[in-house]
């Protein structure tokens, strides 16, 4: 619980690779608590290779899935990226580097939200 409190206190939480593994009973309750505490209070970014329409099937208990996804999806701004994988681009171009600072992430997100 101490670790969960640390995570919940941050203004921005990025959950990367969401849904690569099924979300079982223990994990779904942790996710539910986390989302419930952050809902409408702090920013949370989910990054996933799994289409949003398939997220429901990732969560074992369907009632909990409804509650979690209701809080995530219905108040979200979605960005669906298309195109070649960044890893593939980086591998083919050894000179390519990607440096993201907190400032550049905020600037990019602000620009995207305005458009």
């Amino acid at each position: 619980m101490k670790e969960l409190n640390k995570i919940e206190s941050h203004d921005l939480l990025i959950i990367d690779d969401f849904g690569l593994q099924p979300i079982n009973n223990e994990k779904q309750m942790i996710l539910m608590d986390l989302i419930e505490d952050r809902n409408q209070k702090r920013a949370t970014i989910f990054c996933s290779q799994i289409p949003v329409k398939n997220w429901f099937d990732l969560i074992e208990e369907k009632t909990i899935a409804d509650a979690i996804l209701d809080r995530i999806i219905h108040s979200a701004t979605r960005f669906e990226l298309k195109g070649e994988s960044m890893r593939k681009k980086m591998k083919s171009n050894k000179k390519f580097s990607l440096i993201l600072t907190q400032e550049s992430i905020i600037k990019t997100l602000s620009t995207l939200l305005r458009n």
Side-chain angles (χ1 to χ4, degrees):
M1 273 312 193
K2 189 176 180 181
E3 292 299 317
L4 190 57
N5 288 336
K6 282 183 187 178
I7 291 170
E8 289 172 348
S9 69
H10 291 281
D11 289 331
L12 174 63
L13 173 64
I14 300 174
I15 300 175
D16 194 17
D17 289 334
F18 179 75
L20 289 185
Q21 297 178 355
I23 302 169
N24 64 20
N25 284 334
E26 181 184 344
K27 292 176 188 174
Q28 71 189 11
M29 292 312 297
I30 292 169
L31 181 60
M32 179 66 189
D33 288 342
L34 184 66
I35 298 305
E36 179 67 31
D37 288 344
R38 298 183 66 77
N39 190 33
Q40 302 295 321
K41 298 176 198 161
R42 294 187 168 89
T44 306
I45 297 175
F46 286 84
C47 302
S48 180
Q49 297 176 29
I50 310 298
V52 172
K53 66 182 180 183
N54 298 343
W55 285 10
F56 182 83
D57 297 327
L58 297 171
I59 301 171
E60 203 169 270
E61 172 57 47
K62 299 311 174 196
T63 305
I64 301 295
D66 279 335
I68 291 171
L69 295 176
D70 183 59
R71 287 162 179 79
I72 294 173
I73 294 172
H74 296 296
S75 61
T77 301
R78 287 177 47 190
F79 301 100
E80 292 187 29
L81 305 179
K82 298 182 184 342
E84 194 173 9
S85 162
M86 289 302 292
R87 287 183 183 94
K88 188 175 180 182
K89 283 183 182 181
M90 290 170 61
K91 187 176 182 180
S92 67
N93 183 0
K94 301 211 185 283
K95 293 180 183 176
F96 180 84
S97 65
L98 180 63
I99 300 172
L100 294 175
T101 63
Q102 183 177 1
E103 183 178 314
S104 68
I105 292 170
I106 292 170
K107 184 177 179 181
T108 302
L109 288 173
S110 295
T111 302
L112 288 170
L113 288 171
R114 277 185 263 141
N115 294 331

